[in-house]
Amino acid sequence: MSENLVAMKDDALLNTDASFNRFNDAYVKYLWATEKHKHFLLDLINAVFDDKRPACITGKVTDITLEDRELPSDHVMEKHGRLDIRAETSNGELIDIEIQTYPEVLGARELFYFAKLYASQPARGMNYNVLKPVVIINLMALNFFKDREQYHSCYELQERDLHDVITDKISIHFIEAQKCKELSVKNKNRLVRWMKYLTYSSPEDVVEIAREDEVFAHVLEAEKMFVRNREEMLKYEAQERYEMDMATIKAEGKLEALLATAKEMLAGGLNVEQVKKFTKLTDKELANLL
């Protein structure tokens, strides 16, 4: 590590705001989707592939080209809680990184993104062999796979019984950051280190990683620069408000749906206690239906 970083005090390395959300779309875009921080994204991608290498990727990814993936304004509502970062490797493989902060049914969206990216490539004379692989990487703020301890799940197209891969053109990764939170700070796995950085609640842990690993020392410096930049923080705060509004809308929508179900159950002859048992609604929430 460079001498100036070694000389820094622990608190000088850190953004001291304990509530800072590192999954915030504005911060993620700043950290991984800008040219000046492209080396951070390259490090993350290689960390994912070193942990579970797709069949289509051999060796280190040495360079990437960032592409603008802003959605048109009429699709903004489809994208809440997510920011995709599209990059192309020097060999032409397409990599799409998705930040997921809401629990959703997984699979259909990822397949849709794969289809869009894969079909966006020009097939010269309909020669499908020239089409490059697409890798989708989902970084998840919440745990989704409750039935497994592993934090990194990778899906490819395999024969059901023999498990042979029919094509290496598709690889979809799900990385559950919270499952890495309790892993030892001594863990040398770079993907674990990235996930611990995104979820850290212990400043001592992340400082220990940063003092041993210069990449993360520079990440902490970049984070401090972000929180000191008024324009960037305005974007961050706007995104936080948007996320809170969307969470409220979702919660209200769920309540309305449950109330409609409760109304139908009451009309169908079920008593209030039965309705409460099945819908988990409170007496206060049911009051207007009685």
Side-chain angles (χ1 to χ4, degrees), residues 125-153:
M126 298 305 288
N127 180 359
Y128 298 113
N129 290 331
V130 305
L131 295 174
K132 296 295 185 178
V134 173
V135 180
I136 309 266
I137 298 171
N138 296 278
L139 302 181
M140 307 172 70
L142 301 174
N143 291 341
F144 179 83
F145 299 107
K146 308 295 185 183
D147 60 339
R148 66 192 69 168
E149 292 184 5
Q150 69 179 39
Y151 58 86
H152 184 181
S153 301

Side-chain angles (χ1 to χ4, degrees), residues 213-281:
D213 192 323
E214 190 164 5
V215 168
F216 289 96
H218 290 301
V219 167
L220 291 181
E221 286 188 307
E223 181 180 318
K224 284 195 73 172
M225 293 294 291
F226 178 87
V227 299
R228 290 173 178 175
N229 186 308
R230 177 171 171 75
E231 184 177 344
E232 296 288 1
M233 283 303 292
L234 286 174
K235 295 177 188 175
Y236 170 92
E237 290 164 2
Q239 186 63 40
E240 288 293 281
R241 288 194 298 271
Y242 174 71
E243 296 289 344
M244 292 177 64
D245 290 345
M246 290 308 303
T248 300
I249 290 170
K250 274 200 163 192
E252 290 176 349
K254 183 177 180 181
L255 176 60
E256 288 177 5
L258 285 173
L259 288 172
T261 299
K263 188 174 182 180
E264 291 180 7
M265 293 172 74
L266 290 168
L270 275 68
N271 62 43
V272 173
E273 291 306 312
Q274 290 172 317
V275 172
K276 285 169 60 178
K277 178 181 178 181
F278 286 106
T279 64
K280 310 300 183 187
L281 291 168

